[in-house]
């Protein structure tokens, strides 16, 4: 008699999961780390993504080396040196488009989210999440870490904490460690060259300079403890990995 | 075509009907008296600080919403339809974010398409397609839900989209379709006025006499006395306004007007309970936070999404909407 296979038990759980920001008024939601993009935000973000891809390809002749190391699924953290406002946009343009729509650059709240208009533009078109630098405590980063651990997001993060105004890479801060220490979330090191010449901190209109991005293999910081020593270890290892991508480059100015 | 465009932008007789005049006078008086009454009650020591803040946050919400709702209705039929379409989108946004459906962009896109089609069929005065959109869109959701090839959660996604569209797209869309009737201003004003009168009466009667909970699990703050009070106030007012709006029509008999009043009064209460059920099922206090302290758009339109289709079809049987105007104004050659 042939053996009959038991049919798999269907999963009948009705999972209602409200948006993490559903209790916030629209503008407050845009300025919150808990923001979850909806349909229109998805459309505006996707449209901006297409535009920036064409822009970087045509205007900055963007070249990406080591593309095979770029993440193809969430969660992840892409880190890089930081010399220009173009950096986050260039890194997003380098990512596979399916990954890019779930990627959130972590941007300075006091610069990009300080008024309603800039908050709307940054949230709707760049999909950035704010990090209020004066309040960037363990608690503030805990929300970012929690969101990352839920698995639906990837971050672009600049561990130097601010743009290097002379184009030379600065020591990494402990914030990255607070996000990934003790987890197996892949951290992808990148080095951006040319963005400083294209748009240094004192310029508002970018110059048509070539931008190159080198991508290194993903790192994991499962071995690091989530305390001050662990965060310092993460910062140190990540900094060395980024610097090693362009040993002669010094700062991103090139 | 010219005739249709002329109608859609027609501003003639915006304030000529007594029900429209009464609605404006009543809401204006309420907006003026509310802060004054609050101030008096506060001086008399009858209001706590929390209550005063609650009342004032609701007041500011209405100060913003009333012109946004009544203004387009008074302006022209097209503006009224646009207002209802915008309300459908804003309500759906809150519903989708509360239920989690917003994470399925394709489903939300299809619901959005359905809301736009409801609007376009209203503008076109294409009654048959307007009615057919409810089953057609449910078919689209069922078919579209297959495309991602993810059977897990299929029923939930499709059901959430169908309920969202039926209540907020098609249901609320009936209010917009009413603008195809030359008498649409007093009809829409009557419905909006009665729905909010029901809310107010329920609140006052509930506060004054409320003892027994009617649906303690669905809406713990609402009492049987509040519901009865709302019905006793709203039904006669709706019936009387109905007499003024539909004089000498098949609807203008005491029994039929009483039934109209009952439909509006019961529908207003049901709408609130429907929203209460959705919120309790999800496990959230407020479905939106657009208006700090007083919820979101869905809290304001929840009764209309039930009352609009119920009243529309009852009235339509006896006195068809837009019967004196040709249908399919733009789509027929």
């Amino acid at each position: 008699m042939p053996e009959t296979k038991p049919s798999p038990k269907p999963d009948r759980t009705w999972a209602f999961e409200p948006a993490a920001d559903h209790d916030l008024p629209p503008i407050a939601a845009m300025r919150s780390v808990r923001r979850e993009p909806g349909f229109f935000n998805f459309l505006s973000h996707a449209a901006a993504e297409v535009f920036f891809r064409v822009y970087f390809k045509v205007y900055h002749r963007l070249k990406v080396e080591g593309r095979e190391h770029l993440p193809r699924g969430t969660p992840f953290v892409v880190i890089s040196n930081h010399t220009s406002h173009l950096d986050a946009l260039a890194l997003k343009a380098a990512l596979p488009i399916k990954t890019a729509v779930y990627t959130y650059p972590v941007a300075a709240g006091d610069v990009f989210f300080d008024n309603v208009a800039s908050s709307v533009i940054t949230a709707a078109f760049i999909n950035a999440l704010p990090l209020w630098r004066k309040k960037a405590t363990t608690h503030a980063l805990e929300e970012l870490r929690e969101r990352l651990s839920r698995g639906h997001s990837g971050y672009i993060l600049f561990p130097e904490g601010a743009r290097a105004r002379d184009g030379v890479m600065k020591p990494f801060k402990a914030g990255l460690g607070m996000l990934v220490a003790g987890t197996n979330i892949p951290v992808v090191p990148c080095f951006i060259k040319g963005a400083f010449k294209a748009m240094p901190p004192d310029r508002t209109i970018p110059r048509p300079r070539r931008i190159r991005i080198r991508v290194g293999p993903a790192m994991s910081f499962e071995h690091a403890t989530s305390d001050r020593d662990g965060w310092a270890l993460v910062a140190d290892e990540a900094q060395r990995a980024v610097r090693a991508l362009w040993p002669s480059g010094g700062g991103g100015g090139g | 075509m010219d005739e249709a465009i002329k109608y859609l932008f027609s501003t003639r007789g915006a304030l000529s009907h007594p029900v429209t005049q009464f609605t404006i006078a009543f809401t204006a008086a309420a907006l003026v008296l509310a802060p004054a009454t609050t101030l008096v009650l506060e001086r008399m020591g009858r209001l706590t600080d929390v209550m005063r803040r609650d009342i004032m946050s609701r007041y500011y919400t209405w100060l913003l919403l009333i012109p946004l709702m009544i203004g387009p209705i008074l302006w022209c039929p097209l503006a009224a339809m646009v207002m209802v379409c915008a309300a459908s989108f804003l309500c759906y946004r809150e519903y989708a974010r509360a239920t989690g459906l917003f994470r399925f962009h394709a489903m939300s896109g299809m619901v959005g398409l359905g809301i736009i089609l409801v609007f376009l069929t209203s503008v076109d005065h294409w009654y048959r397609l307007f009615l057919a959109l409810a089953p057609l869109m449910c078919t689209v959701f069922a078919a579209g839900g297959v495309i991602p090839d993810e059977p897990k959660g299929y029923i939930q996604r499709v059901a959430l989209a169908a309920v969202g569209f039926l209540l907020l797209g098609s249901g609320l869309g009936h209010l917009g379709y009413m603008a195809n009737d030359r008498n649409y201003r007093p009809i829409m004003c009557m419905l909006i006025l009665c729905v909010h009168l029901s809310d107010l009466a329920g609140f006052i009667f509930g506060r004054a006499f409320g003892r027994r909970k009617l649906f303690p699990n669905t809406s713990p703050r609402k009492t049987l006395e509040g519901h009865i009070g709302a019905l006793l106030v709203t039904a006669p007012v709706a019936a009387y306004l109905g007499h003024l709006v539909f004089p000498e029509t098949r609807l203008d008999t005491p029994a039929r007007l009483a039934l109209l009043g009952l439909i509006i009064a019961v529908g207003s209460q049901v709408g609130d309970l429907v929203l209460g059920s959705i919120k309790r099922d999800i496990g959230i206090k407020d479905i939106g936070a657009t208006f700090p302290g007083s919820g979101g758009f869905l809290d304001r339109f929840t009764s209309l999404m039930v009352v609009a289709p119920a009243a529309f079809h009852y009235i339509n049987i006896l006195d068809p909407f837009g019967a004196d105007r040709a249908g399919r104004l733009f789509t027929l050659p």
Side-chain angles (χ1 to χ4, degrees):
Chain A
M1 197 172 167
E3 198 178 317
T4 52
K5 274 188 181 175
S7 57
K9 195 181 171 188
D11 183 355
R12 295 202 189 279
T13 309
W14 284 62
F16 288 108
E17 272 188 60
D21 59 354
H22 93 276
D23 56 338
L24 297 174
I27 299 299
M30 286 197 173
R31 305 176 76 186
S32 166
V33 170
R34 287 191 278 148
R35 190 184 77 243
E36 280 202 69
F39 180 66
F40 288 110
N41 198 172
F42 173 78
L43 287 185
S44 62
H45 177 209
E49 201 55 50
V50 171
F51 169 78
F52 283 125
R53 269 154 208 271
V54 174
Y55 165 77
F56 277 101
K57 195 78 190 163
V58 174
Y59 195 68
H60 295 294
R61 293 161 287 146
L62 178 69
K63 192 179 171 198
V64 183
E65 298 168 29
R67 207 179 271 275
E68 69 277 10
H69 299 307
L70 286 170
R72 278 172 169 71
T74 54
F76 62 85
V77 179
V78 170
I79 57 166
S80 163
N81 59 320
H82 190 26
T83 57
S84 165
H85 278 326
L86 293 175
D87 291 341
L89 300 173
L91 285 171
K92 276 195 88 184
L95 287 166
I97 194 151
K98 278 189 179 174
T99 312
V101 291
Y102 297 104
T103 303
Y104 302 82
V106 179
D110 48 303
V111 176
F112 294 97
F113 292 88
D114 69 332
N115 61 57
V116 173
S118 67
S119 300
V120 171
I121 291 167
T122 312
F125 298 108
I126 301 171
N127 211 27
L129 295 175
L131 180 66
W132 305 95
R133 289 184 288 195
K134 283 179 186 167
K135 295 182 278 179
T137 56
T138 319
H139 177 71
L141 284 156
E142 193 58 40
E143 280 190 316
L144 281 168
R145 181 182 168 113
E146 193 188 314
R147 182 188 178 122
L148 195 62
S149 65
R150 283 204 296 270
H152 306 300
S153 316
Y155 292 162
I156 290 174
L157 189 75
F158 301 108
E160 292 163 79
R163 287 170 295 166
R165 304 196 80 81
D166 56 359
V168 178
M169 198 171 105
K170 300 287 179 286
F172 282 8
K173 293 188 173 173
L176 173 66
M178 294 182 196
L179 289 181
V180 296
T183 73
N184 59 359
I185 292 168
V187 176
V188 182
C190 299
F191 196 99
I192 304 172
K193 184 134 173 110
F196 184 75
K197 280 191 173 173
M199 193 177 169
D202 58 351
R203 271 189 79 87
T204 46
I205 307 288
R207 300 187 188 102
R209 298 286 186 270
R210 176 188 277 277
I211 295 177
R212 284 188 287 176
I213 298 174
R214 273 190 194 163
V215 188
M219 312 159 76
S220 167
F221 293 100
E222 221 166 345
H223 59 281
T225 50
S226 192
D227 55 24
R228 284 184 188 282
D229 291 343
W231 303 335
L233 178 78
V234 172
D236 185 52
E237 286 186 17
Q239 184 179 322
R240 276 191 281 126
V242 171
R243 208 180 282 281
L245 288 170
W246 214 301
S248 61
Chain B
M1 177 82 84
D2 288 348
E3 185 77 7
I5 292 172
K6 210 172 151 186
Y7 172 77
L8 288 171
F9 287 97
S10 159
T11 54
R12 221 173 60 182
L15 294 169
S16 59
H17 200 281
V19 171
T20 316
Q21 294 164 1
F22 174 73
T23 305
I24 292 167
F26 182 83
T27 48
L31 287 179
V32 171
L33 289 176
T37 313
T38 310
L39 192 71
V40 170
L41 288 173
E42 195 188 6
R43 290 271 164 88
M44 290 166 66
R46 302 286 295 272
L47 277 185
T48 64
D49 199 39
V50 176
M51 280 170 79
R52 187 189 59 80
R53 264 184 280 152
D54 182 40
I55 291 170
M56 288 315 286
S57 75
R58 282 165 196 271
Y59 172 73
Y60 292 132
T61 300
W62 282 117
L63 204 59
L64 179 75
L65 268 182
I66 284 176
L68 288 177
M69 284 170 79
I70 302 288
I73 293 172
L74 296 180
W75 185 10
C76 65
L78 184 63
M81 292 173 187
V82 169
M83 182 272 288
V84 173
C85 181
S88 288
F89 266 111
L90 292 166
C91 290
Y92 173 71
R93 180 185 176 274
E94 288 176 356
Y95 166 83
R97 293 187 78 77
T99 57
L101 186 61
F102 79 104
R103 293 191 183 90
F104 302 94
H105 295 141
M107 299 307 290
S108 273
M110 285 187 273
V111 176
L113 175 72
I115 292 172
I116 290 170
L117 287 175
V118 166
F119 168 71
L120 292 177
T121 50
S122 301
V123 171
D124 192 32
H125 195 196
W126 189 349
Y127 182 63
R128 285 187 177 184
L129 184 58
F130 174 77
L131 285 187
L133 278 175
L136 284 177
M137 286 313 297
C138 286
T139 314
V140 169
F141 302 145
V146 173
I147 294 170
D149 193 26
E150 280 179 35
K152 192 177 174 190
Y154 170 82
I155 298 174
Q156 185 180 13
R157 291 196 302 272
V158 173
L160 283 173
V163 170
F165 174 73
L166 290 174
L167 288 176
L168 308 167
S170 180
L172 203 53
H174 281 76
L175 193 67
Y177 197 90
M178 289 176 188
N180 278 301
D181 196 285
R182 291 189 196 281
N183 209 22
Y184 80 94
R185 289 187 182 95
I187 300 174
M188 289 174 85
C189 283
M190 173 184 76
L191 293 181
I192 291 172
L193 185 70
C194 289
V195 158
H196 292 115
L197 186 66
S198 168
D199 256 6
L200 188 66
F203 178 76
I204 293 170
F205 275 79
R207 276 290 165 110
F209 309 107
R211 299 284 178 275
R212 282 160 290 189
K213 310 280 183 198
L214 187 59
F215 298 100
N217 297 322
T218 303
S219 201
R221 287 170 67 184
K222 293 208 163 54
T223 61
L224 176 65
E225 292 79 3
H227 282 287
I228 291 172
L231 288 179
L232 288 177
V233 171
T234 312
V237 171
Y240 178 66
L241 292 177
H243 164 68
L244 296 177
V245 175
F246 304 102
E248 293 165 24
T249 63
R250 289 174 62 203
L251 194 61
D252 194 20
T253 69
R256 287 170 178 170
L257 288 172
L259 187 55
L260 175 68
L262 206 61
I263 287 171
I264 294 172
V266 172
S268 302
Q269 301 290 304
V270 171
D272 269 355
L273 295 169
V274 168
L275 187 64
S277 297
I278 293 173
K279 287 197 280 196
R280 297 296 176 287
D281 192 11
I282 302 168
I284 55 176
K285 185 177 170 287
D286 287 316
I287 205 141
T290 310
F291 310 110
S294 58
F297 282 99
L298 202 45
D299 291 279
R300 307 279 78 88
F301 283 92
T302 181
S303 296
L304 279 171
M305 77 189 179
V306 174
V307 169
F312 178 96
H313 289 291
Y314 178 66
I315 295 167
N316 202 46
I317 291 167
L318 299 164
D319 184 23
F321 282 97
D324 58 337
R325 297 177 55 237
R328 298 191 61 182
L329 305 169
F330 297 99
T331 50
L332 271 184

